[in-house]
Amino acid sequence: MDHLRPVDLAREHGISTQAVRNYEQAGWIPPAARTPAGYRTYTAAHAAALRAYLALVPAHGHALSGQIMTALHAGEVDAALTAVDRGHAQLLRDRETLDVVGRALENLAAGPGTTADGPAGARALSIGELARRLRVTAATLRNWEEAGILDPARTPVTAHRTFGADDVRDAELAHLLRRGGYPLAHIATVVRQIRTAGGTEALSGALDDWRHRLTARGLAMLNAAGLCARYMAFLPPDPGPGPGPGPVPAAPGPGVLALGGMATGCSPV
């Protein structure tokens, strides 16, 4: 298996040989050697690189996966690990957001005098009444409206804002998320999801699907880390900084992760 053809790499993953060539051209697998006749020839290192890249895609997406692989090929291990860390940080933020939204929906549904989608039989509230209900200012509610979080109706004659049951639900959810430190743009996205889903009950199913997707992405990150580790074993050792003047640094002690030659993976998992 010292010399592989493009079709050999492609067949393993059910992709086209053109895709293999495209990945090489993009720098996501190393450049191929050429036969005297000009044909590409690959090695086990190329096969490992392709496995690593294709495993990274469901874990981190195409763009970030490409950054990771090109950094590894440039010998920039720290840059590759930083890109991996960004993916893990995003997954953590998504998990935290999911938990906060889930708790917010539970609180809204379980609140006194509320249904799953808002106050039971409540009349529409004015902006002042809603502000007092949430203990915020009317200016805050207007900011939320400008950010796309609230969409109140207007009275025909005076054009005053009126907040119905759905508006109150959205405002209460926004208030909970703001207390959790979430930006207005993020809250607006969540509220739009509730409106699209048809209310909090329908959104609960969407949150379950979201949680399953996050779990799948986390497992994909674990798989990608292992395949990256296998590929990194093919890369030349990192020479590190030269000794320069002064004493040579001591070797790493027990428990210190060495990144040269045999790496333990793209990410600590």
Side-chain angles (χ1 to χ4, degrees), residues 33-56:
R34 297 278 184 163
T35 66
Y39 293 106
R40 286 178 170 85
T41 178
Y42 297 107
T43 66
H46 293 90
L50 184 57
R51 293 186 196 107
Y53 171 71
L54 293 178
L56 284 167

Side-chain angles (χ1 to χ4, degrees), residues 92-112:
L92 179 59
R93 286 194 299 271
D94 288 348
R95 286 191 182 281
E96 291 173 344
T97 300
L98 178 63
D99 290 340
V100 169
V101 172
R103 289 194 299 270
L105 294 179
E106 290 174 2
N107 291 339
L108 291 177

Side-chain angles (χ1 to χ4, degrees), residues 132-260:
R132 286 191 293 273
R133 177 190 178 104
L134 299 180
R135 297 184 179 180
V136 299
T137 65
T140 295
L141 296 178
R142 286 191 288 268
N143 287 339
W144 292 358
E145 180 182 356
E146 186 176 348
I149 297 170
L150 301 178
D151 186 22
R154 298 275 184 160
T155 58
V157 178
T158 62
H160 290 164
R161 296 171 176 85
T162 60
F163 297 86
D166 289 347
D167 301 312
V168 173
R169 176 204 64 201
D170 295 345
E172 290 179 336
L173 178 57
H175 192 214
L176 288 168
L177 293 177
R178 282 299 282 168
R179 292 205 306 271
Y182 287 87
L184 293 180
H186 188 95
I187 296 172
T189 299
V190 172
V191 169
R192 282 195 297 269
Q193 290 174 339
I194 292 179
R195 292 172 185 159
T196 301
T200 56
E201 183 177 354
L203 185 64
S204 296
L207 294 182
D208 288 339
D209 291 340
W210 188 5
R211 190 177 300 279
H212 292 153
R213 288 196 298 270
L214 294 182
T215 298
R217 193 167 51 166
L219 292 173
M221 287 179 175
L222 290 175
N223 180 54
L227 291 175
C228 281
R230 294 180 188 177
Y231 172 55
M232 291 178 71
F234 289 96
L235 299 178
D238 182 358
V248 178
V256 176
L257 179 66
L259 291 177

